[in-house]
Amino acid sequence: MPTFGKLTVGISVFSFATFQLFFHFLSSWLSNHLTPGFSKLNARQKIEWNSRIVSTFHALLVGSFCLYILWFDDAVNADPIWGDPFFVKINVAITSGYLISDLLIIIWYWKAIGDKYFVTHHVAALYAYYYVLGEGLLPYFGNFRLLAEFSTPFVNQRWFFETLGYRKSSAANMLNGIMMTIIFFIVRIAVMPTYYGRMLSAFGTEAFHKLDLGPQCAWIISSVLLDIMNLIWMLRIAKGCYKVLHLWITQTDKTQKKT
């Protein structure tokens, strides 16, 4: 039976409260001071704007911590299933607090930002993190999934540009779109062989057999489900990037012909 330590619970609760505060108060205050266009948005747009601001902050925080663990946490890297999960638990606790906060926001403001894919993503992630936090299992794999967060700021920035009225062919929008496609591919798609390679190498080992059926199912099912969604999102992003590049090339050709 998973047991959640006081530190884990405390960090998760603090994370939840912090992201709620950020969404309801800090985001609007910061946006009003930094972006004149924020005051011109309608109520529905402001809800999504604040949600994405919080999402970007969370992504940068846990993504950076994730890299630190992958580079410097020898215990977790040496034993991906049973390695000392102290730092991973902290990072996953922060993420769990965010995911619960975001789920409540999505449900409460469903008409404005409701999305079944995000709900599925959050539930699948929380299902897997339940075992990381409760039993300290699979720390390497739980932390590795957080690499994906590095693509989030670029995805959000695309929405910010479009909402503020930037043309799709603008330099800022195109640069962000290209970076979004590249980073999304690197941290969500290109890393799949590494992730599943470590997973396959663990199958059949003593460490793997020590896991109960519950953690094994949570590990495998959530990983496959999340990566199916990543592939679907990658396809959508690649199509969007192609359209933007095609538009830019077409406009460049017309300009050159006129001159």
Side-chain angles (χ1 to χ4, degrees), residues 8 48 71 131 151 155 158 166 170 176 191 196 223 229-230:
T8 297
E48 184 160 1
W71 286 339
Y131 290 100
S151 64
V155 175
R158 180 186 63 171
Y166 281 66
S170 66
N176 181 74
V191 296
Y196 287 103
S223 295
M229 286 189 289
N230 282 332

Side-chain angles (χ1 to χ4, degrees), residues 78-152:
D79 186 352
I81 297 180
W82 295 95
D84 182 4
F86 179 76
F87 290 113
V88 173
K89 277 190 171 185
I90 293 175
N91 209 21
V92 170
I94 293 170
T95 292
S96 297
Y98 164 75
L99 290 174
I100 295 171
S101 171
D102 199 47
L103 264 178
L104 289 180
I105 290 169
I106 289 173
I107 293 170
W108 187 260
Y109 297 104
W110 185 263
K111 290 184 179 180
I113 57 174
D115 189 313
K116 60 183 180 181
Y117 288 108
F118 278 113
V119 171
T120 303
H121 170 273
H122 288 10
V123 171
L126 286 169
Y127 172 49
Y129 289 152
Y130 172 78
Y131 290 100
V132 177
L133 294 177
E135 296 186 4
L137 304 178
L138 306 163
Y140 172 86
F141 299 99
N143 182 68
F144 194 97
R145 302 302 313 190
L146 295 176
L147 272 179
E149 293 300 329
F150 278 114
S151 64
T152 300

Side-chain angles (χ1 to χ4, degrees), residues 16-58:
F16 172 85
T18 298
F19 288 119
Q20 283 287 314
L21 179 67
F22 211 137
F23 173 82
H24 289 288
F25 302 103
L26 294 181
S27 175
S28 295
W29 183 83
L30 285 172
S31 299
N32 271 319
H33 284 77
L34 299 175
T35 310
F38 178 77
S39 61
K40 301 176 183 178
L41 303 180
N42 60 44
R44 180 170 295 192
Q45 289 174 322
K46 286 182 178 180
I47 291 170
E48 184 160 1
W49 179 287
N50 291 332
S51 174
R52 290 180 181 272
I53 289 289
V54 174
S55 170
T56 296
F57 174 74
H58 162 262

